[in-house]
Amino acid sequence: MAVFYCLWTTVYYDPSLSPGDAWVICRTNAHENGAHPVKKKKKKPDHVVRSFYGPVCGALCAVRGRRWVELSVEEQRAYVMRLLDALEVTDRDKRLKVARAILYLAQGVYDECDSDVDVLYWARHNVFLLYHMGVFTALLELLNMEIDNSQACSSAVRKPAISLADSTELRVLLSIMYLMVENIRVQTEDDRPEWIAARETFRIELGVFAGEPFALLLFTMVTKFCSMNAPHFPMKKVLLLLWKTVLFTLGGFEELQAMKVRGRERLQLPPLPEDSIRVVRAMRAASPPASAMELIEQQQQQKRGRRSRRPLVKQDSLDTYNERDPFKNEEARDEDEDPEDSDSGIEGEVDPLDRDVIIQPPPPPPPLRPPTERLNFPKGLPWAPKVREKDIEHFLETSRNKFIGFTLGNDIDTLVGLPRPIHESVKTLKQHKYVSIAEVQIKREQELQKCPMTLGEEEVEETPAEILYLGMLPNLSQYVIALLKLLLAAAPTSKAKTDSINILADVLPEEMPITVLQSMKLGIDVNRHKEIIVKAISALLILLLKHFKLNHIYQFEIVSQHLVFANCIPLILKFFNQNIMSYISAKNSICVLDFPHCVVHELPELTAESLEAGDNNQFCWRNLFSCINLLRILNKLTKWKHSRTMMLVVFKSAPILKRALKVKQAMMQLYVLKLLKIQTKYLGRQWRKSNMKTMSAIYQKVRHRLNDDWAYGNDIDARPWYFQVEECDMRESIEKFNSRRYDRSRGGPAGGEFTPVDNCLQSVLGQRVELPEDFQYSYELWLEREVFSQPIQWEGLLERP
């Protein structure tokens, strides 16, 4: 009789994705426990957590002498089917063994592979095989069982310290589900036709799984964890799976841009003036502004005559020199330097984030380039200017008051009586007029509120974003508060408190490290753990905000208000109130322990010196990605909102944001400059005078609004007594929208207050009314008190109110 075996290991997926999301980087559980991950064929020391073979009911690998990679597809299907049967046993330990066997399949049967490429190929092949066999549905049932396991929750609550052992089953299930979602989501050139069809089917299933989006189940896990009802939940894995699920079901930024183009075509709006993604990618980073201490040192050197003027020195050589050590503030620049000179120096320069500038010595100044080479770079501003219809109305109102003495309301076409220059100005403004989808949606909503009977019921398209919003709406505030609590706990500037939530439940081992090497490993893992949580939450929030804004502006506004009321703005500012260059260049990773390198290649011996040296990467893309996302969230919350802009001023965000400009990455600098632009008019003339280089960078990189006098102090709309009224009006509009569209008791999909009244006595009395049991017991007493003992004023019924 043949004996069947299953290779199961202690490897758990612990993803930390690059900005390109090319592949998942994971770490072995042996590393999490402070040991070296090894393969079964290598000689293992006694202290290592070992992988081993163990019998499993059913079969995974082939009959003796054959391997998984040698089996046919039909044989692989048969083994997966037996594993699915074994998942239904009542024994918890046997289910865990089978789940680990499925995890080994999803990780690419790395023990039978000789290279990283082979592991990635077999992981992708096995994931699609598992999906076709219905493994995800079985895992979802097991996940629901673990979530509802009250015994595990109560034992975790009573424990003084929670460790990896308390969430073993959850981590295995979430790891398999994450691998399936990520592998199926990413599209490659060599995808088979059945894989392409499976990807679309899986996306639809995740959007409405068992009647509701799969993301709602993960949101429920987040809220249960933050309410301390389930402190053993592995939040990092939950948040990563939640982020990737939303990214898969709703779409990424490329899909968002395509949806925006289709939405404008459907509303018969003019096309977008440019593709914002391409414009941002083509931008070059600018030299950061000098700090106050640097300016003082420059002035002292100039007084002593130790500095000679070098007008012909190329700016890019200075930038290269100044980027050698990101931990020092040596980006000294002259504030009175001509911005054209500094811009000409960085044309064609390689992005410092792509260079190894710390290890290599500064290169010599490049030779002078011929003037013909400079013609290859486009000149002018990167963005086409925009004008809102409200700006044109305000301009004409001011002009009519000045030249005629009266106004015409919202009329932007009548130019009678105005001088010729005003005609030319209006023509220029209308050429750059931009009508957003949000403005059309607001006007449509106002019409529906004003004429509900005439316009009838609105036809709502069942998009994935609409389905997700409808499911999140009842508990939206709880979801937002829970995400911000986790973001606060994972922020590097947060101090450990006894009453704060413990986000390290799925990174701390049962036994704390006893050697220096183990302590250093655990410290790196804890920091990396927090960085991944920040990345997942920031990416999830910006995705939700952008998709809800495209679906309907009031869906975006309600999420924004919940974020603002939960103190999201000061939380993000607190996050940036640190040495941002140290955070961007953090080295909280160990390359040799990344998956699949750690299970395919021979591992060198790790020492305290090698861990302290870190990897060779100049910048941590994970942290840079998180910073850009948080800046984009802050921009979304404050754009065209004067009350929230004043919050930036009150919390003194200008020096914090200005320090963030030291990171020489074009996209990050763009969103920092946007935040500085909207509050420039409130910072005073002296601030603008002493930060002229920042003002020049805003002019060069941020889109222009033709009527926006951001560089001056003439702001008409920013009256302080309007701030609270602005938020209250927005809240009222949101409540009317939700009541009209989603409240079934008042004008929702079921009819509500606009349903015709039934005046037939027989049909009204014939309707069945469900009465509570306590009312039935006290029915006679109610009749006596409310009917028989109350005199009826029959004449009063005939009188008009």
Side-chain angles (χ1 to χ4, degrees):
M1 179 179 178
V3 181
F4 297 92
Y5 289 96
C6 164
L7 174 66
W8 67 275
T9 70
T10 53
V11 178
Y12 298 86
Y13 243 68
D14 190 7
S16 167
L17 306 176
S18 63
D21 297 330
W23 185 247
V24 183
I25 303 173
C26 76
R27 179 141 313 159
T28 62
N29 192 44
H31 167 57
E32 292 176 353
N33 286 313
H36 296 279
V38 294
K39 293 177 63 177
K40 69 178 182 62
K41 298 179 182 177
K42 296 183 176 63
K43 183 178 179 181
K44 302 181 285 291
D46 294 335
H47 69 277
V48 171
V49 179
R50 306 176 184 221
S51 304
F52 61 90
Y53 286 95
V56 174
C57 49
L60 169 63
C61 291
V63 185
R64 185 189 303 272
R66 298 181 65 189
R67 303 188 304 167
W68 174 264
V69 297
E70 298 173 352
L71 302 179
S72 64
V73 177
E74 293 302 324
E75 290 175 318
Q76 292 174 350
R77 286 175 178 270
Y79 297 136
V80 173
M81 184 60 69
R82 293 177 185 175
L83 288 176
L84 281 174
D85 294 338
L87 274 180
E88 299 179 359
V89 298
T90 56
D91 192 338
R92 188 181 187 88
D93 293 333
K94 290 182 179 179
R95 287 204 313 267
L96 180 59
K97 287 183 179 180
V98 177
R100 280 173 161 162
I102 297 175
L103 176 60
Y104 174 66
L105 279 181
Q107 289 178 333
V109 288
Y110 47 81
D111 197 69
E112 302 179 11
C113 300
D114 298 325
S115 65
D116 297 359
V117 177
D118 293 341
V119 176
L120 301 183
Y121 168 79
W122 281 106
R124 191 169 180 80
H125 170 83
N126 293 342
V127 160
F128 277 98
L129 177 65
L130 294 174
Y131 171 70
H132 282 296
M133 299 302 294
V135 172
F136 193 88
T137 305
L139 295 174
L140 184 60
E141 295 177 359
L142 292 178
L143 182 62
N144 279 307
M145 288 175 54
E146 294 296 332
I147 293 174
D148 298 334
N149 189 353
S150 57
Q151 182 179 358
C153 294
S154 58
S155 62
V157 169
R158 291 193 299 267
K159 270 192 169 185
I162 302 174
S163 64
L164 280 164
D166 298 306
S167 59
T168 303
E169 294 84 356
L170 278 171
R171 285 185 291 116
V172 172
L173 296 175
L174 291 170
S175 297
I176 303 172
M177 300 174 89
Y178 179 90
L179 284 173
M180 295 184 69
V181 170
E182 179 63 9
N183 275 286
I184 297 176
R185 182 189 70 85
V186 177
Q187 187 173 0
T188 59
E189 297 179 355
D190 56 348
D191 277 355
R192 306 168 190 170
E194 59 269 20
W195 289 4
I196 298 175
R199 177 180 299 109
E200 184 62 24
T201 304
F202 190 39
R203 186 186 65 82
I204 297 174
E205 289 179 354
L206 287 178
V208 188
F209 220 113
E212 66 177 14
F214 174 60
L216 285 184
L217 178 65
L218 302 176
F219 271 118
T220 305
M221 294 184 69
V222 173
T223 53
K224 287 187 69 174
F225 175 83
C226 290
S227 60
M228 304 302 291
N229 292 326
H232 66 294
F233 281 178
M235 267 303 101
K236 181 185 65 179
K237 294 183 182 296
V238 174
L239 290 170
L240 281 170
L241 181 55
L242 176 58
W243 166 33
K244 290 300 180 180
T245 301
V246 173
L247 182 62
F248 187 22
T249 55
L250 301 188
F253 294 146
E254 299 283 351
E255 290 87 349
L256 262 168
Q257 187 73 10
M259 292 164 58
K260 192 173 184 180
V261 171
R262 292 195 300 267
R264 294 186 66 84
E265 291 177 354
R266 187 168 56 251
L267 296 174
Q268 298 180 355
L269 295 175
L272 294 170
E274 70 274 305
D275 188 344
S276 57
I277 298 177
R278 294 181 180 178
V279 173
V280 174
R281 285 176 179 172
M283 281 189 175
R284 298 184 302 271
S287 301
S291 62
M293 292 298 297
E294 293 166 354
L295 293 175
I296 294 175
E297 291 178 0
Q298 290 177 17
Q299 293 175 0
Q300 291 176 352
Q301 290 178 359
Q302 288 176 355
K303 289 180 180 179
R304 291 192 297 265
R306 295 181 180 179
R307 182 184 179 192
S308 61
R309 300 187 63 85
R310 295 177 296 172
L312 297 179
V313 174
K314 300 295 290 181
Q315 184 69 40
D316 52 334
S317 62
L318 293 177
D319 292 343
T320 305
Y321 174 78
N322 291 328
E323 279 291 323
R324 284 185 301 168
D325 191 353
F327 298 97
K328 296 180 181 179
N329 299 326
E330 72 271 10
E331 298 90 349
R333 303 286 185 272
D334 287 333
E335 285 295 330
D336 56 350
E337 186 180 8
D338 189 2
E340 293 182 359
D341 294 339
S342 62
D343 183 73
S344 63
I346 60 176
E347 285 187 355
E349 182 188 10
V350 179
D351 196 325
L353 295 176
D354 297 333
R355 293 185 311 213
D356 199 358
V357 292
I358 287 184
I359 297 177
Q360 297 178 356
L368 293 176
R369 291 168 290 190
T372 55
E373 185 180 349
R374 301 178 60 85
L375 299 177
N376 296 330
F377 298 101
K379 295 295 182 180
L381 300 175
W383 304 98
K386 288 182 179 179
V387 179
R388 295 183 300 170
E389 187 172 343
K390 179 181 177 182
D391 298 330
I392 302 178
E393 293 175 0
H394 175 67
F395 174 76
L396 280 174
E397 182 180 357
T398 305
S399 301
R400 287 172 183 145
N401 276 328
K402 179 179 180 181
F403 294 103
I404 304 177
F406 64 89
T407 61
L408 298 177
N410 298 329
D411 188 358
I412 62 173
D413 298 322
T414 304
L415 303 178
V416 178
L418 296 177
R420 188 65 184 175
I422 301 297
H423 288 232
E424 297 294 333
S425 300
V426 173
K427 181 181 178 181
T428 304
L429 291 176
K430 287 185 177 181
Q431 285 178 351
H432 297 92
K433 177 183 174 182
Y434 176 77
V435 179
S436 64
I437 297 177
E439 293 174 355
V440 177
Q441 291 172 344
I442 291 175
K443 289 183 178 180
R444 175 65 177 172
E445 183 63 25
Q446 291 174 350
E447 294 173 357
L448 288 172
Q449 294 287 350
K450 186 177 180 180
C451 309
M453 302 297 292
T454 306
L455 298 178
E457 188 175 348
E458 181 187 13
E459 294 182 4
V460 181
E461 184 181 358
E462 291 293 326
T463 61
E466 181 70 26
I467 297 172
L468 180 60
Y469 176 80
L470 186 58
M472 292 178 61
L473 184 58
N475 303 311
L476 185 57
S477 60
Q478 300 178 21
Y479 298 151
V480 169
I481 292 173
L483 290 176
L484 292 184
K485 279 185 178 180
L486 293 171
L487 183 61
L488 176 62
T493 55
S494 299
K495 297 180 181 179
K497 297 181 181 179
T498 55
D499 57 342
S500 62
I501 54 179
N502 179 22
I503 59 173
L504 304 178
D506 54 334
V507 71
L508 295 178
E510 288 186 278
E511 298 180 0
M512 297 306 292
I514 57 176
T515 64
V516 176
L517 181 62
Q518 293 176 353
S519 300
M520 292 183 67
K521 280 183 180 178
L522 184 59
I524 292 174
D525 246 10
V526 167
N527 292 333
R528 176 176 170 274
H529 185 87
K530 293 181 178 180
E531 291 173 0
I532 294 172
I533 290 179
V534 172
K535 176 177 181 179
I537 294 176
S538 62
L540 174 63
L541 287 177
I542 189 63
L543 271 178
L544 291 177
L545 288 174
K546 290 185 75 67
H547 275 285
F548 286 157
K549 184 175 183 180
L550 183 59
N551 195 57
H552 200 285
I553 182 62
Y554 284 134
Q555 295 176 357
F556 161 80
E557 293 293 355
I558 188 173
V559 177
S560 299
Q561 277 208 338
H562 281 303
L563 286 170
V564 172
F565 294 160
N567 288 331
C568 181
I569 293 178
L571 173 57
I572 296 178
L573 293 177
K574 180 181 179 181
F575 181 90
F576 281 96
N577 192 17
Q578 58 171 315
N579 189 344
I580 198 65
M581 285 301 299
S582 300
Y583 185 73
I584 293 295
S585 57
K587 299 182 182 299
N588 294 317
S589 61
I590 306 174
C591 293
V592 294
L593 296 182
D594 287 338
F595 186 89
H597 183 277
C598 61
V599 292
V600 175
H601 303 282
E602 291 283 349
L603 298 182
E605 182 179 359
L606 293 178
T607 60
E609 291 76 14
S610 63
L611 290 181
E612 189 174 0
D615 53 23
N616 295 327
N617 294 328
Q618 178 60 36
F619 290 89
C620 179
W621 284 109
R622 175 173 57 242
N623 293 348
L624 182 62
F625 180 73
S626 303
C627 291
I628 293 175
N629 285 335
L630 292 174
L631 289 171
R632 297 184 74 174
I633 293 170
L634 207 54
N635 271 286
K636 289 286 183 187
L637 297 181
T638 55
K639 187 176 181 180
W640 305 119
K641 302 292 191 304
H642 297 293
S643 57
R644 300 172 191 177
T645 304
M646 288 304 297
M647 290 181 68
L648 295 178
V649 180
V650 170
F651 290 119
K652 302 184 185 305
S653 66
I656 298 174
L657 294 172
K658 189 179 174 184
R659 284 198 299 270
L661 287 174
K662 293 181 180 296
V663 180
K664 288 194 63 177
Q665 206 276 340
M667 183 178 289
M668 184 168 174
Q669 286 184 346
L670 172 66
Y671 291 108
V672 171
L673 293 173
K674 281 188 175 184
L675 290 169
L676 288 173
K677 175 184 176 181
I678 62 176
Q679 56 177 318
T680 299
K681 62 185 71 175
Y682 308 113
L683 297 177
R685 184 171 177 269
Q686 186 59 38
W687 187 92
R688 296 192 291 271
K689 183 179 179 181
S690 57
N691 291 274
M692 287 308 297
K693 183 149 191 176
T694 304
M695 302 285 286
S696 299
I698 292 174
Y699 178 83
Q700 291 173 354
K701 294 183 177 295
V702 183
R703 186 191 301 276
H704 286 269
R705 299 279 175 169
L706 295 184
N707 282 18
D708 187 10
D709 55 348
W710 60 272
Y712 308 97
N714 306 323
D715 186 36
I716 296 178
D717 291 332
R719 299 188 180 97
W721 55 85
Y722 282 173
F723 293 156
Q724 191 172 3
V725 177
E726 183 183 26
E727 292 290 345
C728 292
D729 291 344
M730 180 59 66
R731 188 69 179 178
E732 182 182 359
S733 301
I734 293 170
E735 290 177 352
K736 287 181 179 179
F737 165 75
N738 286 329
S739 176
R740 179 192 64 80
R741 198 166 181 176
Y742 304 110
D743 191 355
R744 292 183 177 273
S745 62
R746 294 186 64 255
E753 63 184 18
F754 299 119
T755 304
V757 178
D758 189 359
N759 295 320
C760 180
L761 181 62
Q762 292 182 349
S763 63
V764 171
L765 295 178
Q767 293 179 1
R768 185 176 182 83
V769 180
E770 296 292 337
L771 299 175
E773 293 184 2
D774 54 350
F775 179 78
Q776 296 178 13
Y777 294 141
S778 59
Y779 177 70
E780 295 180 356
L781 181 62
W782 179 84
L783 280 176
E784 183 66 31
R785 185 179 66 247
E786 300 293 336
V787 180
F788 300 143
S789 63
Q790 296 291 334
I792 300 175
Q793 302 291 337
W794 297 103
E795 293 80 3
L797 296 176
L798 301 177
E799 297 178 0
R800 289 190 176 183

